[in-house]
Amino acid sequence: MAMAMVAPLYTWLLAAACSYGASSCENRSGSASPMGRRARRRLQRMGGAGSTLICSKQSYTSMLPDVASFCGSSLQGLSSCLSFEACPEYYSSKQSPLFGEGIFGLGLGSRPVRAARRQPKVAGKALAIAIQPVREKTEKKKLITKPRRVVVTGMGVVSSLGHDADSFYSSLLAGRSGVSVIESFDCSEFPTRIAGEIKGFSTDGWVAPKFSRRMDKFMLYLLTAGKKALEDGGMSADVMGDLDKSKCGILIGSALGGMKVFNDAIEALRVSYRKMNPFCVPFATTNMGSAMLAMDLGWMGPNYSISTACATSNFCILSAANHILRGEADVMLSGGSDSAIIPIGLGGFIACRSLSQRNNAPHKASRPWDVDRDGFVMGEGAGVLLLEELEHAKDRGATIYAEFLGGSFTCDAYHMTEPHPEGAGISLCIENALAQAGVRKEDVNYVNAHATSTRAGDLQEYKALMKVFGQNPELKVNSTKSMIGHLLGAAGAVEAVATVQAIRTGWIHPTINVDNPEKEIDMNIIVGAQKERLDIKVALSNSFGFGGHNSSILFSPYVESNDN
């Protein structure tokens, strides 16, 4: 860079010397003339050596210290390279190239570089010529590639209504409730004693016994649901063997992670740190579920966990899809898992005044949009989608359940636990999701709502939906949580499974317990106590979380000719 800055300066000095100082050189007639006053003043301003410029090597060299002090030490040694002489002998010299053999020694030609022509005198002015290197314009040709598309080819679920996608959705269509009295610990002293608790769960054939005894339930649910999604997606041993493991990733999150493992570690610490489980730290962290599954499968692609409270799963699904769209992965397992139905988890949400206390009628406790709702019901489980690049799925002959179109995230920036009173963040999230996916709002005719059964949340989401889709006469909205409770970080993934199943079957499940809807609610839009037939064009699934996190993702039936 220093050379590039110095060379033009020397060129200018050289031209100036030749034009203004030529009169002091002995010309062909042997006469001499004084230097012009303007040239003298200019040289004095530049720190020239004396009022006249004598055309001799000695005089030019005497200027170098002053010029070098002005331009920096990079000029040292250039006098021998340039000769820095403006005498006739310089112009007549054609013995060697300016910078040796070729320009900068790059061998750009063996012919000597021609010396610059002597410039004619111009009255009071110098004609400086700076020769700039010619830049070759190289045309970069962009490869025209077909846009990548993301499809759902497998589903895995662990819930209070079933441990595979088909039995789970059949129970939803039948309007069955998975909410019951908690049996895993004595909660008789708690004001809430009900939850969507999983009973009779086994990891046989899915998780090695040595791990199943030590792992937190959230990890056991995650590993089981993840492997069931692979099985459902036709990922046989032969198919798995042919996969490029570096292009296969896992992104399954959790809102609370291994709460039971961490709680047990605290209890052990009360006795002695020597009693603590050496796995208490790794098995409590939210990322370890994805990591353990990757170790089991040998998948070396993107692998991490996102934790955004009850919006976790949607964040994971959209982020996983983006890895595929960017070409960083061809296959991704994505979703969420949580298991917080333990004393500290139940007590914590009771302290937040978030939970229903309808202990005498557990199956009636979760009642979205109903006037008599008194809080949400805790649930537990996991949901995992097998997302795959379309051409990759077609090449291996996979069954395509639906296409993932896109989504968006926003933040209310309002309150830790309460939604924005006008639903501003929610409506912004939905609108951004539509724009990102290139979907018209009139094409969305099904929404699997977040609808937790809380006082504020249900109505704010409904208002936001009406703001965006209120003019669509085909719109249908339901709530999966009315039957399984709120699965926290796993809620969005389990509801994504329900959404894809609705697309596959053409049936949308009922919303139970809406016996006395709020006056703002239009029950022509809400799916009531009976399932309904619907030809879904585009489906939207919402999930929102403490901290004001909003997430919306979009699915549609797979159509081969749909370039969007």
Side-chain angles (χ1 to χ4, degrees):
M1 181 178 290
M3 284 292 295
M5 294 173 61
V6 169
L9 176 60
Y10 268 112
T11 304
W12 183 87
L13 286 172
L14 191 60
C18 292
S19 297
Y20 291 109
S23 59
S24 65
C25 293
E26 289 187 5
N27 55 23
R28 293 175 183 176
S29 61
S31 63
S33 60
M35 180 184 290
R37 284 176 297 175
R38 185 176 300 177
R40 191 181 305 114
R41 284 197 300 270
R42 182 173 297 180
L43 286 173
Q44 287 173 346
R45 285 198 300 271
M46 290 182 56
S51 59
T52 60
L53 185 64
I54 306 301
C55 188
S56 68
K57 185 173 184 178
Q58 181 179 1
S59 298
Y60 276 98
T61 308
S62 67
M63 288 180 61
L64 284 175
D66 292 327
V67 178
S69 65
F70 175 75
C71 297
S73 60
S74 301
L75 300 180
Q76 293 178 2
L78 285 180
S79 60
S80 61
C81 174
L82 291 170
S83 287
F84 215 74
E85 296 181 11
C87 294
E89 290 81 6
Y90 169 80
Y91 295 113
S92 62
S93 174
K94 298 181 181 181
Q95 300 302 316
S96 62
L98 189 62
F99 290 96
E101 289 298 326
I103 298 176
F104 296 109
L106 298 179
L108 298 182
S110 58
R111 290 188 301 170
V113 177
R114 297 179 63 184
R117 289 185 180 181
R118 192 170 190 175
Q119 302 298 326
K121 285 181 62 178
V122 181
K125 294 184 180 180
L127 184 61
I129 299 176
I131 302 174
Q132 300 293 338
V134 178
R135 295 182 180 179
E136 293 184 5
K137 293 183 179 179
T138 55
E139 225 177 280
K140 291 185 178 179
K141 294 183 179 180
K142 292 185 177 179
L143 295 175
I144 300 174
T145 57
K146 193 174 181 180
R148 290 168 70 89
R149 295 164 64 182
V150 181
V151 293
V152 180
T153 56
M155 296 176 286
V157 67
V158 175
S159 77
S160 59
L161 283 181
H163 304 330
D164 65 83
D166 290 336
S167 62
F168 164 70
Y169 200 64
S170 296
S171 296
L172 289 178
L173 290 177
R176 287 180 51 207
S177 174
V179 180
S180 60
V181 175
I182 295 172
E183 297 178 0
S184 58
F185 64 95
D186 182 8
C187 57
S188 58
E189 299 300 320
F190 289 80
T192 294
R193 300 182 292 277
I194 57 174
E197 186 181 46
I198 294 174
K199 298 176 172 67
F201 174 73
S202 173
T203 60
D204 290 348
W206 302 106
V207 182
K210 66 176 181 178
F211 287 123
S212 63
R213 290 191 298 268
R214 293 171 172 155
M215 285 181 174
D216 191 275
K217 280 186 177 179
F218 101 93
M219 292 181 67
L220 298 178
Y221 296 159
L222 183 156
L223 293 171
T224 304
K227 291 183 178 181
K228 287 187 174 183
L230 290 174
E231 183 183 62
D232 183 60
M235 286 285 187
S236 63
D238 291 339
V239 173
M240 292 283 285
D242 292 336
L243 293 177
D244 179 355
K245 302 295 179 66
S246 67
K247 302 296 286 291
C248 299
I250 302 172
L251 180 41
I252 305 174
S254 178
L256 298 174
M259 290 191 71
K260 179 67 164 56
V261 167
F262 196 74
N263 184 75
D264 290 347
I266 294 173
E267 294 300 319
L269 184 59
R270 295 181 190 278
V271 179
S272 170
Y273 73 89
R274 293 184 177 89
K275 298 292 184 180
M276 295 176 68
N277 184 344
F279 295 97
C280 67
V281 171
F283 284 177
T285 57
T286 61
N287 72 297
M288 198 54 64
S290 291
M292 293 298 292
L293 185 53
M295 294 175 203
D296 200 348
L297 301 175
W299 286 13
M300 301 174 67
N303 187 292
Y304 57 102
S305 169
I306 294 174
S307 184
T308 48
C310 304
T312 291
S313 288
N314 279 9
F315 274 70
C316 291
I317 292 169
L318 178 53
S319 298
N322 286 337
H323 283 298
I324 296 175
L325 291 173
R326 292 194 297 263
E328 298 162 355
D330 293 327
V331 179
M332 291 290 296
L333 285 170
S334 63
S337 179
D338 257 319
S339 177
I341 304 175
I342 58 175
I344 192 173
L346 184 66
F349 282 109
I350 289 172
C352 290
R353 300 180 181 180
S354 301
L355 299 183
S356 170
Q357 298 182 14
R358 199 181 294 268
N359 299 310
N360 296 328
H363 61 287
K364 289 283 188 180
S366 186
R367 40 195 324 109
W369 302 300
D370 190 82
V371 171
D372 299 322
R373 67 193 184 280
D374 64 334
F376 75 81
V377 176
M378 287 182 69
E380 63 178 349
V384 176
L385 297 182
L386 177 59
L387 299 180
E388 199 165 350
E389 194 275 324
L390 175 59
E391 297 305 319
H392 187 277
K394 289 165 67 175
D395 287 346
R396 71 176 185 88
T399 300
I400 298 174
Y401 296 148
E403 182 165 2
F404 180 82
L405 301 181
S408 182
F409 314 133
T410 63
C411 181
D412 281 349
Y414 173 73
H415 191 271
M416 283 190 294
T417 59
E418 296 293 323
H420 192 282
E422 301 301 322
I426 298 174
S427 57
L428 177 63
C429 186
I430 296 170
E431 289 168 352
N432 286 351
L434 295 174
Q436 189 272 337
V439 172
R440 301 180 306 168
K441 59 185 179 180
E442 53 266 29
D443 288 335
V444 177
N445 61 345
Y446 171 54
V447 176
N448 188 298
H450 184 62
T452 61
S453 191
T454 57
R455 281 285 168 194
D458 292 4
L459 281 180
Q460 301 315 324
E461 181 183 14
Y462 180 83
K463 289 176 182 178
L465 290 174
M466 292 304 99
K467 178 182 177 182
V468 179
F469 304 114
Q471 304 303 313
N472 187 352
E474 298 181 8
L475 183 66
K476 290 294 180 180
V477 181
N478 64 2
S479 169
T480 305
K481 293 182 181 71
S482 66
M483 288 174 273
I484 61 173
H486 191 352
L487 276 62
L488 308 177
V494 172
E495 289 158 14
V497 170
T499 302
V500 173
Q501 288 286 59
I503 292 172
R504 286 183 66 197
T505 63
W507 287 98
I508 50 177
H509 69 70
T511 306
I512 66 172
N513 302 326
V514 191
D515 302 326
N516 186 16
E518 292 275 6
K519 61 181 180 181
E520 294 97 330
I521 302 299
D522 183 355
M523 288 306 293
N524 292 317
I525 293 174
I526 303 298
V527 182
Q530 300 296 323
K531 65 181 180 181
E532 294 187 21
R533 174 69 74 176
L534 182 65
D535 182 15
I536 297 174
K537 297 176 183 175
V538 176
L540 171 74
S541 181
N542 285 334
S543 284
F544 316 124
F546 282 0
H549 302 293
N550 305 308
S551 62
S552 299
I553 56 177
L554 294 155
F555 298 90
S556 73
Y558 165 65
V559 181
E560 190 170 358
S561 62
N562 179 10
D563 290 334
N564 292 327

